[in-house]
């Protein structure tokens, strides 16, 4: 179980993503903040039992094909890394749109998109973890992602060396 995520959300979002029947994305980067996660401007304000989200995200992997997106948004007026939360937004939610996809050199199996959130309403239960702790939660996820990328690089290099060694053993010069 993902800490801080209700059981219904596990069934609705995580189970299909893990089973490969749904595509997920993480929306952190913004046009004016770039990689400065603490400088994000996307806002989520609480209105009764819903979050109302407004803002723009850029360079979002799988953004155009995702079934749901974990959005990092400012949920209080605190600045910097404080007052930021993670909220799940199904992409079929009114007000959520892909404004454009970006052309890129590689990794064409996953798109990269710009997303716009204009008065997007989702239940407060779509909050992931603890309200106001989204920055810290996202930084933990980034650390895991970076470690996975390192392991993949080492595995790819080992595979390339094994294939090269095999080829050199069979090659007739």
């Amino acid at each position: 179980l993902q800490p801080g995520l209700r059981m219904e959300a596990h069934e609705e979002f995580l189970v299909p993503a893990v089973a490969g029947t749904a595509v997920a994305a993480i929306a952190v980067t913004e046009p004016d903040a770039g990689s400065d996660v603490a400088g994000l401007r996307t806002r989520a304000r609480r209105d009764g039992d819903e979050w109302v989200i407004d803002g723009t995200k850029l360079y979002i992997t799988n953004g155009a094909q995702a079934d749901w997106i974990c959005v990092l948004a400012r949920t209080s007026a605190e600045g910097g890394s404080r007052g930021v939360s993670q909220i799940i937004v199904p992409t079929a939610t009114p007000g959520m749109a892909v404004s454009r996809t970006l052309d890129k050199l590689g990794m064409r199996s996953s798109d990269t998109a710009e997303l716009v959130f204009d008065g997007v309403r989702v239940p407060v239960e779509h909050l992931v973890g603890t309200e106001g702790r989204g920055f810290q939660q996202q930084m933990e996820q980034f650390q895991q992602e970076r470690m996975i990328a390192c392991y993949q690089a080492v595995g790819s290099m080992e595979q390339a060396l094994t294939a090269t060694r095999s080829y050199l053993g069979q090659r007739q010069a």
Side-chain angles (χ1 to χ4, degrees):
L1 289 176
Q2 174 68 29
L5 193 60
R6 70 190 201 317
M7 181 56 85
E8 296 83 9
H10 278 270
E11 295 299 318
E12 184 178 354
F13 301 112
L14 293 181
V15 170
V18 171
T21 59
V23 176
I26 300 170
V28 175
T29 305
E30 297 186 354
D32 297 326
S35 60
D36 177 15
V37 178
L40 65 85
R41 295 183 184 168
T42 296
R43 298 234 179 256
R45 65 178 170 76
R46 190 155 177 183
D47 183 20
D49 291 336
E50 296 179 314
W51 291 109
V52 181
I53 304 171
D54 292 289
T56 303
K57 297 293 186 175
L58 186 60
Y59 307 120
I60 307 308
T61 303
N62 293 335
Q65 62 183 319
D67 296 295
W68 61 270
I69 298 171
C70 185
V71 178
L72 197 62
R74 196 159 291 288
T75 51
S76 79
E78 294 180 83
S81 64
R82 292 188 166 91
V84 176
S85 301
Q86 293 175 311
I87 301 170
I88 295 173
V89 177
T91 56
T93 305
M96 198 251 125
V98 176
S99 59
R100 64 184 168 131
T101 54
L102 306 170
D103 191 23
K104 56 188 182 178
L105 293 174
M107 293 196 58
R108 293 190 177 272
S109 63
S110 66
D111 60 75
T112 301
E114 179 178 49
L115 308 175
V116 175
F117 301 86
D118 185 14
V120 172
R121 291 179 168 270
V122 296
V124 293
E125 292 84 15
H126 284 203
L127 178 74
V128 177
T130 305
E131 183 177 343
R133 297 282 301 163
F135 178 87
Q136 292 79 5
Q137 293 167 189
Q138 190 61 57
M139 292 302 108
E140 286 180 28
Q141 188 274 326
F142 280 160
Q143 288 302 94
Q144 294 169 0
E145 188 176 300
R146 290 174 181 136
M147 291 306 298
I148 289 167
C150 291
Y151 296 142
Q152 287 175 329
V154 170
S156 295
M157 287 184 271
E158 286 178 343
Q159 235 179 345
L161 288 171
T162 299
T164 300
R165 183 178 300 116
S166 175
Y167 170 74
L168 291 175
Q170 299 168 14
R171 179 176 179 258
Q172 296 293 320

